[in-house]
Amino acid sequence: MPVIDATALLRDASLRVTRPRVAVLSMVANHPHSDTDSIATAVRRELGSVSTQAVYDVLRALTDAGLVRRIEPAGSPARFETRVGDDHHHLVCRGCGGITDVRGAVGAAPCLDVRDSRGFTLERTEVTYWGTCPACRARTE
């Protein structure tokens, strides 16, 4: 599991350091692809009473600051990870819903190099691969 200095990351991003922000950022770093409910539950275990709205607000601030990436696989609640700034994609299991990172194509953001961008200035791409993980496949064989 990644060890991060949440306080330093918040300060470097010019965000005020608060206990909920440190707890949320640490939880996301240690449990990538978690949804808001899972994050809120873990933060409450650590800090006691924290509203779900406060967790949403912290996640929004962390996402806006570029410390957290929000992904939204179809049919799933938004998920969060601290792996930002690289060209990686996700594998999603249709059986258990598990999400795994996978490297993008080789090169500097190659998925942003499309034949016809229709005039859009492309900033980021999200590729989601859907399938069945080995554990779910083993249960059905």
Side-chain angles (χ1 to χ4, degrees):
M1 291 205 187
V3 176
I4 65 162
D5 184 344
T7 299
L9 289 170
L10 290 166
R11 284 190 179 125
D12 289 347
S14 299
L15 291 176
R16 193 166 44 94
V17 177
T18 64
R19 290 181 66 221
R21 284 181 176 169
V22 169
V24 168
L25 184 54
S26 297
M27 192 312 194
V28 173
N30 291 319
H31 302 281
H33 311 127
S34 293
D35 63 19
T36 306
D37 288 340
S38 300
I39 295 166
T41 298
V43 169
R44 284 187 194 107
R45 271 196 304 269
E46 182 178 334
L47 300 180
S49 178
V50 176
S51 72
T52 301
Q53 186 60 52
V55 172
Y56 275 105
D57 291 346
V58 168
L59 287 167
R60 185 177 311 111
L62 296 175
T63 301
D64 290 348
L67 296 175
V68 166
R69 179 178 178 188
R70 177 186 172 116
I71 60 171
E72 299 181 58
S76 173
R79 307 296 181 109
F80 299 88
E81 64 184 349
T82 55
R83 186 174 171 185
V84 297
D86 70 346
D87 188 37
H88 79 279
H89 307 303
H90 298 96
L91 302 167
V92 180
C93 178
R94 290 190 185 276
C96 66
I99 301 174
T100 302
D101 290 338
V102 63
R103 280 187 56 202
V106 177
C111 294
L112 295 179
D113 184 20
V114 298
R115 287 199 167 105
D116 182 6
S117 66
R118 311 238 183 228
F120 280 70
T121 299
L122 303 178
E123 299 156 353
R124 189 176 105 186
T125 185
E126 291 186 16
V127 175
T128 303
Y129 300 97
W130 295 88
T132 306
C133 72
C136 288
R137 201 171 52 249
R139 281 193 289 269
T140 62
E141 293 177 352

